[in-house]
Amino acid sequence: MKNELLSVDAAAARITSGAVMTIAGDESLLAQLPKGNWIGGTSVYFVTDTGGAVIRDRLYCTTLPEAAKADIKVLAAGDLPRIAEGYATGGMSFILIPAFSEAHSVFAVDGPSYTGFFNQPLVGWISGVHLDDIGRVSPKVFDGATGEAHDDAAVVMHLTLEDGMTPQVEIVNIFDQNDADAPCFRFTQSGFAAQSALIDGVETPLAAYLQDNGIDTRLPLIANYGGALINVSVQSVDPDSGKVAFYAPVMEGVDYRFAKPLKDYADAFARQLGAGGDGQYSCNCILNYLYGELEGKSTGGFTGPVTFGEIAYMLLNQTLVRLDLQPA
Amino acid sequence: MPLPTASAMKALIQSDRNLDGAKLATRILLGRLRIEARNNPSLIDAKVAELIEFARANAYAADDLSHI
């Protein structure tokens, strides 16, 4: 696996050579690429070797010589439950979904319940736009096989891997769940918004609680899935309507606690990631970029797009997802 | 890799034990099964069956669960 920032011409040449690729970049650049074995998603934020940056003149390209075959599918929200039907034996799949689309919300809530969903590594991200363009420009994903852009469907690339190649997917969460005596939040409905929560078992208006208790909503709510810490980030708190919106769904019946505060975001990433990252695929969250003020700050060797949500099987927030392909 | 018994799988789903050394898919799936079983205890046998099916389909998961 090779990660590079390439010009449109260089990326086009790579595609034309028959390479299997995932590509992130500005919509106007992705739209210029030729048809081939690639999928793409819009993003202008990246983590590079020298730190976070807004890049509009090059494309972040991951070339996958480990892939023997690529099968690209466009899946609208109603097609997503059949995602596992495209899994190749011993392979893995990349998925890109446009932010704010029905496919985004449906995948986030229902994905982990799809038949056969966990039977193969599934990695990807939610495409976005420059923050100044939210509401004016829709995030897109690209099906390289046709060259078509979509703002209402996921694009999935199912890979058959060369013999012996084994994918390893992991999430890097720089946050720790608060201690067991910290308030526990449980929700009675799954969704991207909530008016109330059971806080330590007592139904409580959520927006008022967060405000009255001075909760730092830059910190995510964290749930423990069998030892995997899964974040849900707060998008907004509306004291008038009482509505609290999230960047990923809170799930019914799950115990969440807010994260412990961090002293230094960039340092926390660098310490958790350590050395390495070369030849691995990774994506990081726009909220880490913003709250951690990562622009110009290096977080170690893991480079890639900064996204509106990360996918390692399920939708994640404020997390780095990494994928390594190695001989077994 | 021999799978644990159904009763051991059931005990795992009904516990809060972390599978820190397990693959990410195993941990997340176990987390989801725990949530669903806790929200509706009558589903526990179906969730045990789902975990067994997952382990049969994925050798790494069978290995993860063989250590419980």
Side-chain angles (χ1 to χ4, degrees), chain A residues 204-263:
Chain A
T204 307
L206 188 56
Y209 178 90
L210 297 178
Q211 286 216 317
D212 293 348
N213 290 277
I215 303 293
D216 182 355
T217 54
R218 293 173 303 174
L219 299 171
L221 286 164
I222 302 180
N224 184 343
Y225 280 65
L229 296 182
I230 305 296
N231 299 341
V232 172
S233 302
V234 177
Q235 182 178 26
S236 61
V237 179
D238 185 340
D240 295 330
S241 68
K243 178 180 162 185
V244 177
F246 304 98
Y247 285 106
V250 289
M251 305 303 285
E252 177 190 353
V254 176
D255 289 337
Y256 294 92
R257 287 186 171 81
F258 273 100
K260 292 177 182 173
L262 287 176
K263 286 182 182 168

Side-chain angles (χ1 to χ4, degrees), chain A residues 145-175:
Chain A
T146 64
E148 290 180 1
H150 300 270
D151 63 7
D152 59 352
V155 61
V156 183
M157 186 162 70
H158 300 294
L159 298 182
T160 302
L161 298 175
E162 296 286 356
D163 283 347
M165 297 305 300
T166 302
Q168 301 280 355
V169 182
E170 197 46 84
I171 59 179
V172 177
N173 191 343
I174 58 173
F175 296 99

Side-chain angles (χ1 to χ4, degrees), chain A residues 61-118:
Chain A
C61 299
T62 301
T63 305
L64 297 151
E66 299 88 350
K69 183 184 170 202
D71 185 21
I72 298 172
K73 304 281 188 197
V74 175
L75 300 177
D79 299 323
L80 281 167
R82 297 195 298 276
I83 187 171
E85 293 176 12
Y87 288 178
T89 304
M92 63 151 297
S93 300
F94 285 97
I95 181 169
L96 305 178
I97 308 176
F100 319 126
S101 65
E102 185 186 4
H104 178 189
S105 53
V106 165
F107 177 87
V109 174
D110 298 335
S113 300
Y114 295 157
T115 302
F117 185 76
F118 289 93

